[in-house]
Amino acid sequence: MAADFEAIFVRQMLKTMRTSSLGEGLFDGQGTEQFREMQDAKVAESMAQKGVFGIAQLLARHVEDKDV
């Protein structure tokens, strides 16, 4: 559950980074955008599973502390 949240967070971060680019490439279009979104989702999922940012662990620890 916490890893899912981290994946969503990372995906949104990647999406925001892409929208802040300076311009569109020569071959950018709707198909390319869809592919990038799918790619970003997989990268975010992989990063969350590996705990790259550690958000899931922090969230889980916080919830465990509240259960006591």
Side-chain angles (χ1 to χ4, degrees), residues 2-61:
D4 294 337
F5 175 80
E6 184 169 350
I8 291 168
F9 179 81
V10 173
R11 188 175 3 166
Q12 285 300 112
M13 185 176 65
L14 290 170
K15 182 179 179 180
T16 301
M17 288 170 44
R18 287 203 190 277
T19 58
S20 68
S21 68
L22 298 176
E24 295 185 5
L26 181 61
F27 300 108
D28 285 354
Q30 188 175 6
T32 304
E33 184 179 335
Q34 271 186 318
F35 176 75
R36 283 189 182 142
E37 287 176 7
M38 290 188 303
Q39 182 183 20
D40 287 350
K42 286 306 255 182
V43 167
E45 183 180 317
S46 175
M47 290 174 81
Q49 287 176 353
K50 292 179 183 178
V52 174
F53 290 103
I55 297 170
Q57 292 88 352
L58 289 172
L59 213 85
R61 194 175 317 139

Side-chain angles (χ1 to χ4, degrees), residues 1-2 56-68:
M1 179 84 165
Q57 292 88 352
L58 289 172
L59 213 85
R61 194 175 317 139
H62 180 72
V63 170
E64 288 172 359
D65 291 344
K66 295 293 180 184
D67 286 339
V68 174

